[in-house]
Amino acid sequence: MATVSLTVNGQSVTADVDPRTLLVQFLRDNLRLTGTHVGCDTSQCGACVVHLNGEAVKSCTTLAVQADAGVVTTIEGLAQGGELHPMQAAFREHHGLQCGYCTPGMIMSAVDIVNRKGPDLDEQTIRAELEGNLCRCTGYHNIVKAVAAGAQAMAEAPLQQAAE
Amino acid sequence: MTATGIGAPVRRKEDQRFVTGQGRYVDDFNRPGQAYAYFLRSPHAHAAIRSIDVGAAQTMPGALAVFTGDDLAADKIGGLICGWMIHSKDGTPMKAGPHPALAQGKVRYVGDHVAVVIAETLAQAKDAAEAIVVDYDVLPAVVDTAEAAKSSVQVHDVSPDNTVFNWHLGDKDATEAAFAKAKHVTKIDLVNNRLVPNPIEPRAALGEYDFGTDNYTLYTTSQNPHVARLVLSAFIGVAPEHKLRVIAPDVGGGFGSKIFIYAEETVCVWAAKKVKRPVKWTSDRTEAFLADAHGRDHVTHAEMATDENGKILGLRVHTTANLGAYLSTFSSSVPTYLYAPLLSGQYDIPAIYCEVDGVYTNTAPVDAYRGAGRPEATFVVERLVEKTARELKQDPAEFRRKNYITQFPHQTPVIMAYDTGDYAASLDKALELADYRNFQARKQESARRGKLRGLGFSSYIEACGIAPSQAVGSLGAGVGLWESAEVRVNPTGSVEVLTGSHSHGQGHETTFAQLVSDRLGIPIDQVSIVHGDTDKVQFGMGTYGSRSGAVGMSAIAKAIDKVIAKGRKVAAHVLEASEGDIEFKDGRFGVAGTDRSLAFGEVALQAYIAHKFSGQDLEPGLKEGAFYDPTNFTFPAGVHICEVEIDPDTGVTTIERWTAVDDFGVIINPMIVEGQVHGGIAQGVGQALLEGAVYDRSGQLVTASFNDYCMPRANDLPSFQVGMTVTPCPSNPLGIKGCGEAGAIAAPPAVINAITDALGHEDIAMPATPQAVWRAAQKARMPMAAE
Amino acid sequence: MYAFDYHRPTSARQAADLASQFEDMKFLAGGHTLLPTMKMRLAGPTNLVDLGQIAELRGIERSGDTLSIGAMTKHAEVAHSADVRQAIPALAELAEVIGDPHVRNRGTMGGSVANNDPSADYPAACLALNATIVTDRREIAADDFFQGIFTTALDEGEIITRIAFPVPSQAAYAKFRNPASRYALVGVFVARFADGVRMAVTGAGSNGVFRMPEMEQALAQNFAPEALNGIAAPEDEMNSDIHADAAYRAHLVGVMTRRAVQAAASRS
């Protein structure tokens, strides 16, 4: 067993885990944060994307022990004070989701794109930056719209953004 | 139209939980004492099992039990079933081989279920599975669709030539006569490539048994939990129907693949009683590739006859359909009654004859995948129509227009009676949105840059609203395909709708609530939609075939009518008026010609207080149920136009424009409908350009991960231009036709017609990968860029 | 995944000591090849030595005509480094088309180079730029380092610490992605130096990354796409799979090389 200490969604957690525990398993099984999903075995679908130390990573391809001492934000930690994060609100407003399974990873990736690229995102940039997230329902059309709108909204709500 | 009523783009009620990570999918459920199942799968496409030694596995750390097909047989657990009987031309029933949930004596495809280990942890279950010793006698495999019937390899004893059925539809003599008088005959050979559905949520099952009550519970990723319960109880015999609760909670996409009743869910619910622990199985993606039912996989030769005026005289089609190693739940219906009856397309074709040979191979079972038969039919018709127009040197749009059906109702030669439509209206709108008139200028501009530009049409039709029970019964369906609804009005006036439809992305919690809000005049947040639990909803047929609007919502509308009728009686008592004088309008029951009225909620309360009427006159309460059985299929139709640009140096095809004009009848929520169109197009483009399941000669699935099976990504697709035309469906009370599959049906021929237009020849197969297009561009001897 | 013991050294020396103690050991860098392989039980090391906490393996330094990048530097760091962008922009551009954004946030240059996947991107850059692979034991020229698919000059337990890239006058990377995996179906890195041109091809060769001297000589004479006319990649040395057969790969080598030369030549 190995000991992992993490800050997850602002809360400190420490646990003894089998070293082979993936970060996504730790989140889902140990912490019952089931918003982070698993959709493939080969690090491609992006349903498992969380932020580790401020960067979007695939939690299915990261050992929990590798994340030790890190700060993790999951989809459950994005909304502050009962208000949806602007990107969450944009996905709802622009119908950027259908079955909802890819959505947590998609939103975490979208927030990361804005953090890296700023709020003014053209369609081409958004499509290229969504490389690591698969959606089988939406054809991406409305996801692209949602990310563009969410990016603008994040710029207009800096406090919300800072909270992440 | 109110802000939340029919026709309004209401933002989805379900999204609050999905965008915050609070959705509850099967794998999110954990039961006390839960153990984990891992299936040992066949590494061989075809092998006899000489023996299975589970002794060592049973003693591995954490292992609770190891089961094989013999254990299921000893408990008299039946095999998986196919629920649609197809008869061959000669009247003989289809040849259905045995389909045990765990192999008995033989494995028939890579991924077939050999044994299951139940252990304390998944890792321990996998460790124990590695300790199972299986002695295989590896047999040669048959993989190729076109070769199956000629192969010396025999997949099932019941079918020496691997043929499940030799089926046909239409009038052969009339069709031959039509071809005899034809001025021109266009021929085409097509392969409809095998696809893997790949909803992003993999399948999962969690079985539980309560020794105190003898009740079983199965959480499963299902599009139709009641059908799952019926099959698991009545046919497979896992548990009595009244003792089995099936829960399909949030489900992460299905696209057909979660309709079927699979080995894994069967085993989980059975094993839970055997090991006295809840048993959970969650598919990984590799297992999903190997063992989810695949889609399509047709090999077709088709011919179209035209007269001297370019009018279509006849169509004849021969298709070989690969059904895989076993007949999955609805597999037999897909290449037959969901396929050939759509071969008339939007066209007035006097004579059609279609033969379909269904074959077994050593590959994963093939069943319905988004569109199910109708994409295959549309691909045949729209590729042939495009090719015919080109051969006749006619504008493909005008060739279509000339042959469109314009009078309704229209009886095709292949079963279907189209009720309504205006195909030319969709074409006109699509031509305008696609800026068709300036296409040649764009093509020349591309050529100046060394690129090849092409434009392709798809003028598709589908039969949805599945389906009139009597009609499908006469065609071999094991069950009727009606839908149920129950509308429960609470004393406070809020409403719960229990529906047999299941939402796994379609947004029923919103659209169904819109109908209720609209009809009862109550706020949408006063309405809850309940689905996906056999303990709550009495029965239902589930969601597939674009049926939930046309059939599921019609059942709700019917139940609402009954609620209003009952409410009228209650209001009459309370308002001391004659029932005939009570009008229901804008959410109020009023006495005609007076200002006396009660809000819907007040009537609901009075129905439960029941002080104003005696129980003999009128039963207390306000709750009504309805079963709605459609009187006809519905016929969504439209025109999609795809414009591509090809880089002849690399073969890369870029979709430059996509125009979709669809007639779905009355639309409840345009935002959701457009979303369905987008998603369908993406899957159709995936089939045309990117996706293809490939087995090698030995039956190994070469494309068993996202590393080799190319899923559409955001950057593979353009934004779509979506327009609508509306001819209300006359056969259901809401005028709905359905929209869930249209994009997947329309898209593939639009893409391939565009590519062949760009290349200047017809010789390209799906998926039109860069390599394939590059090679085809070479063949076309198109002017190459100066490299 | 099979069970393993996990170790997290804080120096390369410690890591090497740990490695020497275990027979069935793997170094864990970014993990984006190793962990999926372990998840599928295709690899089962009993000990995993995580290089993630070793500061000396990180960092990007420019010194004269050499750009030195720590082995544990992530793809995203290379892509966004001002030093890399200034010295060898083609290298930053290459890093930016590896995998996807999440992979780039975890995957490392050293991990990629040590693995020598025949369709990985970095080996092409190392070979074309005539990089030196610096380990905890020695320095190895790229020409000697890559020895065929998944095979390198590294000895058991040897750790790549840094990779030193000579700064070229002009360079570019042109990648044709495998549409499914996003690895290179064909990737060509072209680098022009004062004393000549080097190019390397990844993804295409049946024996991994390779150079084409004939193209290099032609480009040394005339650094323009036309210089490559009449020079073709050898089809019988190309890889073949469901995505691309040898003929198509050989053709793409020509197309991608021309595109890389065009891009490099247009760079001031």
Side-chain angles (χ1 to χ4, degrees):
Chain A
M1 298 297 264
T3 303
V4 212
S5 294
L6 291 170
T7 303
V8 179
N9 298 334
Q11 301 205 317
S12 299
V13 290
T14 298
D16 288 330
V17 299
D18 184 330
R20 60 181 148 169
T21 306
L22 297 166
L23 179 57
V24 68
Q25 291 169 327
F26 183 72
L27 294 169
R28 289 179 57 80
D29 299 341
N30 291 55
L31 305 182
R32 293 284 183 246
L33 292 170
T34 56
T36 303
H37 297 150
V38 177
C40 75
D41 323 325
T42 50
S43 323
Q44 278 163 321
C45 80
C48 66
V49 169
V50 301
H51 294 183
L52 173 59
N53 301 324
E55 293 176 338
V57 302
K58 284 178 167 150
S59 62
C60 77
T61 316
T62 305
L63 297 171
V65 288
Q66 284 179 288
D68 189 37
V71 176
V72 174
T73 305
T74 72
I75 188 69
E76 291 93 342
L78 212 51
Q80 297 290 322
E83 287 269 308
L84 291 181
H85 182 280
M87 191 59 78
Q88 292 172 314
F91 268 68
R92 182 173 192 270
E93 176 62 23
H94 294 277
H95 191 32
L97 64 150
Q98 290 181 25
C99 81
Y101 196 79
C102 77
T103 309
M106 202 62 86
I107 290 175
M108 297 311 288
S109 291
V111 171
D112 178 66
I113 294 168
V114 182
N115 289 344
R116 286 185 289 114
K117 300 256 168 186
D120 297 314
L121 300 170
D122 60 26
E123 177 177 343
Q124 201 182 352
T125 302
I126 295 169
R127 287 184 183 274
E129 288 291 328
L130 289 176
E131 178 99 48
N133 294 82
L134 295 176
C135 169
R136 195 56 152 168
C137 294
T138 64
Y140 304 98
H141 179 108
N142 285 337
I143 290 176
V144 172
K145 279 165 59 183
V147 174
Q152 291 293 317
M154 280 172 66
E156 289 157 18
L159 286 177
Q160 184 90 48
Q161 194 179 352
E164 204 266 315
Chain B
M1 182 177 92
T2 64
T4 60
I6 290 172
V10 180
R11 300 309 186 254
R12 299 203 318 173
K13 291 161 66 101
E14 44 273 81
D15 286 357
Q16 178 70 28
R17 68 177 185 275
F18 291 139
V19 299
T20 53
Q22 304 300 323
R24 290 267 277 165
Y25 302 87
V26 172
D27 191 51
D28 300 340
F29 287 81
N30 294 290
R31 303 297 299 158
Q34 173 179 299
Y36 294 83
Y38 180 74
F39 287 84
L40 179 69
R41 294 176 186 278
S42 173
H44 306 296
H46 198 193
I49 299 174
R50 291 199 194 97
S51 65
I52 305 176
D53 181 354
V54 301
Q58 280 169 333
T59 62
M60 290 287 285
L64 298 170
V66 183
F67 298 117
T68 68
D70 288 346
D71 298 300
L72 285 169
D75 272 10
K76 300 195 164 42
I77 302 299
L80 307 180
I81 62 153
C82 178
W84 198 303
M85 172 53 71
I86 295 298
H87 287 88
S88 284
K89 290 177 221 178
D90 63 6
T92 56
M94 67 186 186
K95 300 188 178 79
H99 189 183
L102 295 174
Q104 291 175 352
K106 207 176 178 196
V107 286
R108 294 182 173 85
Y109 67 101
V110 172
D112 204 353
H113 313 69
V114 176
V116 64
V117 179
I118 318 294
E120 296 287 350
T121 71
L122 180 58
Q124 288 173 331
K126 289 183 180 180
D127 291 344
E130 289 182 5
I132 299 173
V133 181
V134 186
D135 184 7
Y136 292 106
D137 176 15
V138 179
L139 304 169
V142 57
V143 173
D144 190 80
T145 308
E147 299 298 315
K150 289 172 260 174
S151 172
S152 58
V153 175
Q154 191 177 336
V155 182
H156 284 282
D157 293 344
V158 294
S159 177
D161 61 354
N162 295 320
T163 298
V164 184
F165 50 74
N166 300 112
W167 175 88
H168 68 157
L169 185 68
D171 187 331
K172 186 176 186 182
D173 293 340
T175 307
E176 295 307 321
F179 274 80
K181 66 178 180 184
K183 179 83 189 320
H184 184 85
V185 174
T186 301
K187 301 178 181 181
I188 201 162
D189 288 289
L190 299 168
V191 172
N192 206 287
N193 45 325
R194 177 184 277 244
L195 303 176
V196 182
N198 277 321
I200 304 299
E201 181 206 25
R203 286 189 296 122
L206 170 54
E208 191 172 10
Y209 178 71
D210 184 327
F211 279 85
T213 61
D214 190 33
N215 284 335
Y216 298 77
T217 304
L218 171 66
Y219 299 81
T220 184
T221 49
S222 175
Q223 300 177 217
N224 38 217
H226 291 87
V227 176
R229 183 176 69 154
L230 176 64
V231 171
L232 286 167
S233 58
F235 296 94
I236 300 175
V238 169
E241 193 172 15
H242 66 295
K243 288 294 185 185
L244 174 59
R245 178 184 185 184
V246 177
I247 299 171
D250 287 330
V251 171
F255 316 112
S257 69
K258 292 173 181 171
I259 296 172
F260 322 121
I261 288 74
Y262 287 94
E264 293 89 352
E265 51 202 344
T266 303
V267 169
C268 281
V269 70
W270 167 79
K273 185 175 180 182
K274 300 291 281 188
V275 302
K276 304 183 173 65
R277 301 270 293 272
V279 172
K280 185 185 207 174
W281 169 78
T282 303
S283 175
D284 62 30
R285 182 56 58 185
T286 307
E287 290 180 287
F289 271 103
L290 293 176
D292 284 8
H294 294 180
R296 318 284 192 254
D297 204 338
H298 285 195
V299 175
T300 294
H301 175 79
E303 301 182 359
M304 180 167 275
T306 40
D307 69 11
E308 59 281 4
N309 299 316
K311 287 283 286 180
I312 302 170
L313 296 174
L315 173 66
R316 57 187 174 202
V317 178
H318 182 276
T319 291
T320 305
N322 190 344
L323 295 170
Y326 300 99
L327 297 184
S328 175
T329 315
F330 289 109
S331 58
S332 55
S333 67
V334 177
T336 53
Y337 287 109
L338 293 176
Y339 170 65
L342 276 302
L343 286 170
S344 195
Q346 297 184 355
Y347 310 105
D348 184 5
I349 306 179
I352 299 174
Y353 180 65
C354 176
E355 295 172 290
V356 179
D357 300 332
V359 296
Y360 286 119
T361 58
N362 294 113
T363 63
V366 179
D367 206 324
Y369 167 61
R370 200 171 194 170
R374 290 150 292 167
E376 295 92 315
T378 301
F379 193 65
V380 171
V381 174
E382 288 304 294
R383 286 288 293 121
L384 252 184
V385 163
E386 192 89 13
K387 190 173 182 218
T388 302
R390 288 171 186 166
E391 287 179 359
L392 298 177
K393 303 206 180 330
Q394 296 190 10
D395 178 281
E398 296 315 309
F399 178 76
R400 284 177 169 83
R401 187 193 304 278
K402 182 183 348 186
N403 284 287
Y404 277 158
I405 294 160
T406 54
Q407 303 295 314
F408 296 91
H410 174 89
Q411 178 64 52
T412 73
V414 277
I415 299 177
M416 292 300 176
Y418 298 171
D419 47 12
T420 185
D422 186 347
Y423 308 142
S426 292
L427 179 63
D428 287 337
K429 190 162 180 176
L431 290 172
E432 184 172 336
L433 288 175
D435 190 24
Y436 184 56
R437 70 173 67 87
N438 290 313
F439 169 69
Q440 286 304 330
R442 296 195 293 276
K443 190 177 173 84
Q444 283 160 20
E445 192 278 326
S446 292
R448 279 195 290 279
R449 289 182 286 108
K451 302 291 198 288
L452 309 173
R453 189 173 279 255
L455 181 142
F457 291 87
S458 177
S459 208
Y460 76 96
I461 192 163
E462 49 173 332
C464 298
I466 295 172
S469 297
Q470 201 173 24
V472 295
S474 73
L475 304 178
V479 288
L481 292 170
W482 43 265
E483 195 46 88
S484 77
E486 185 174 315
V487 175
R488 294 179 181 171
V489 183
N490 297 317
T492 57
S494 62
V495 172
E496 286 146 50
V497 176
L498 286 72
T499 170
S501 299
H502 186 274
S503 188
H504 33 278
Q506 295 87 346
H508 295 170
E509 289 169 42
T510 305
T511 50
F512 289 11
Q514 283 180 255
L515 170 64
V516 176
S517 168
D518 193 277
R519 288 288 166 99
L520 295 181
I522 60 173
I524 197 166
D525 60 9
Q526 294 285 298
V527 185
S528 285
I529 306 299
V530 178
H531 69 98
D533 185 341
T534 60
D535 261 14
K536 294 178 179 171
V537 180
Q538 185 249 332
F539 207 94
M541 300 310 299
T543 289
Y544 40 83
S546 306
R547 68 190 304 272
S548 296
V551 188
M553 288 181 81
S554 290
I556 296 170
K558 205 171 157 187
I560 289 171
D561 287 345
K562 292 185 186 179
V563 164
I564 293 170
K566 173 81 179 284
R568 197 177 272 124
K569 291 186 204 299
V570 174
H573 281 280
V574 176
L575 294 169
E576 294 172 346
S578 125
E579 189 190 330
D581 290 339
I582 301 292
E583 292 176 334
F584 182 65
K585 207 178 154 208
D586 299 331
R588 296 192 77 83
F589 291 92
V591 182
T594 75
D595 60 357
R596 288 187 299 142
S597 70
L598 294 169
F600 178 77
E602 294 173 292
V603 169
L605 185 62
Q606 290 296 335
Y608 287 94
I609 289 173
H611 289 170
K612 301 280 188 181
F613 50 89
S614 81
Q616 281 76 37
D617 297 342
L618 187 61
E619 285 179 25
L622 194 52
K623 180 195 84 165
E624 298 289 346
F627 287 76
Y628 173 77
D629 197 355
T631 57
N632 192 1
F633 293 89
T634 65
F635 299 97
V639 174
H640 286 218
I641 300 177
C642 170
E643 191 170 321
V644 300
E645 188 176 86
I646 292 169
D647 176 353
D649 295 340
T650 59
V652 169
T653 300
T654 307
I655 296 176
E656 297 290 333
R657 282 168 172 255
W658 195 283
T659 307
V661 176
D662 301 289
D663 177 359
F664 298 134
V666 172
I667 287 169
I668 305 296
N669 183 324
M671 176 189 82
I672 286 175
V673 167
E674 287 180 18
Q676 289 291 313
V677 174
H678 300 154
I681 295 169
Q683 283 176 330
V685 170
Q687 170 163 30
L689 292 181
L690 308 168
E691 300 179 40
V694 178
Y695 284 92
D696 69 15
R697 299 292 301 173
S698 72
Q700 294 294 328
L701 182 62
V702 180
T703 52
S705 83
F706 291 149
N707 273 323
D708 285 306
Y709 186 93
C710 186
M711 292 279 281
R713 287 176 168 84
N715 226 2
D716 296 318
L717 297 161
S719 284
F720 310 110
Q721 191 154 25
V722 177
M724 303 283 169
T725 59
V726 177
T727 59
C729 177
S731 72
N732 66 60
L734 298 168
I736 295 174
K737 293 184 180 179
C739 63
E741 298 160 293
I745 291 168
V751 175
I752 299 301
N753 285 339
I755 291 175
T756 50
D757 180 45
L759 293 172
H761 70 78
E762 303 288 335
D763 192 12
I764 186 91
M766 297 193 292
T769 61
Q771 170 172 259
V773 173
W774 170 72
R775 198 148 273 140
Q778 300 263 317
K779 184 181 161 185
R781 296 171 190 278
M782 299 302 288
M784 301 287 284
E787 289 198 345
Chain C
M1 233 182 259
Y2 294 107
F4 56 82
D5 288 329
Y6 174 79
H7 311 274
R8 191 160 51 206
T10 53
S11 71
R13 165 67 68 84
Q14 269 181 23
D17 286 350
L18 279 164
S20 67
Q21 292 169 31
F22 310 118
E23 207 155 276
D24 189 10
M25 179 281 315
K26 288 267 187 199
F27 290 119
L28 176 64
H32 273 53
T33 300
L34 180 59
L35 292 176
T37 312
M38 289 171 65
K39 279 160 67 178
M40 294 175 133
R41 296 191 162 207
L42 300 172
T46 53
N47 284 274
L48 212 52
V49 177
D50 184 354
L51 305 177
Q53 298 300 316
I54 304 176
E56 66 197 272
L57 300 184
R58 312 187 89 97
I60 298 169
E61 289 161 24
R62 168 87 185 255
S63 163
D65 281 341
T66 302
L67 184 70
S68 168
I69 300 182
M72 285 297 290
T73 306
K74 294 168 184 169
H75 308 326
E77 293 169 327
V78 175
H80 300 131
S81 156
D83 282 337
V84 179
R85 292 248 161 217
Q86 200 265 328
I88 315 177
L91 189 60
E93 288 160 11
L94 174 148
E96 192 139 42
V97 294
I98 300 174
D100 60 50
H102 321 114
V103 172
R104 297 196 283 274
N105 280 337
R106 299 291 297 169
T108 65
M109 180 181 281
S112 170
V113 169
N115 192 44
N116 192 18
D117 186 302
S119 46
D121 299 287
Y122 275 132
C126 291
L127 200 54
L129 289 166
N130 197 18
T132 301
I133 292 45
V134 182
T135 76
D136 60 339
R137 301 176 195 177
R138 56 188 167 142
E139 297 190 352
I140 310 170
D143 281 319
D144 302 324
F145 184 86
F146 300 104
Q147 302 183 343
I149 55 172
F150 299 110
T151 309
T152 68
L154 288 174
D155 289 329
E156 207 57 39
E158 188 172 7
I159 301 168
I160 300 176
T161 54
R162 309 194 73 77
I163 298 171
F165 296 94
V167 175
S169 57
Q170 289 170 317
Y173 182 60
K175 177 178 182 179
F176 191 93
R177 295 180 151 198
N178 175 319
S181 72
R182 300 333 222 194
Y183 275 93
L185 207 60
V186 173
V188 179
F189 200 106
V190 174
R192 188 181 195 188
F193 295 92
D195 59 352
V197 174
R198 287 173 64 105
M199 59 84 75
V201 182
T202 189
S206 52
N207 198 34
V209 64
F210 65 96
R211 292 167 61 193
M212 287 187 61
E214 202 184 349
M215 284 194 179
E216 291 178 351
Q217 283 150 23
L219 290 169
Q221 299 295 316
N222 175 18
F223 195 67
E226 307 82 73
L228 299 168
N229 288 347
I231 308 175
E235 219 176 287
D236 56 355
E237 292 172 25
M238 296 294 110
N239 199 1
S240 182
D241 58 27
I242 57 164
H243 304 286
D245 62 19
Y248 181 53
R249 274 191 163 89
H251 166 76
L252 283 180
V253 170
V255 175
M256 291 297 121
T257 307
R258 285 173 174 85
R259 289 184 182 181
V261 170
Q262 185 79 51
S266 66
R267 207 158 237 156
S268 57

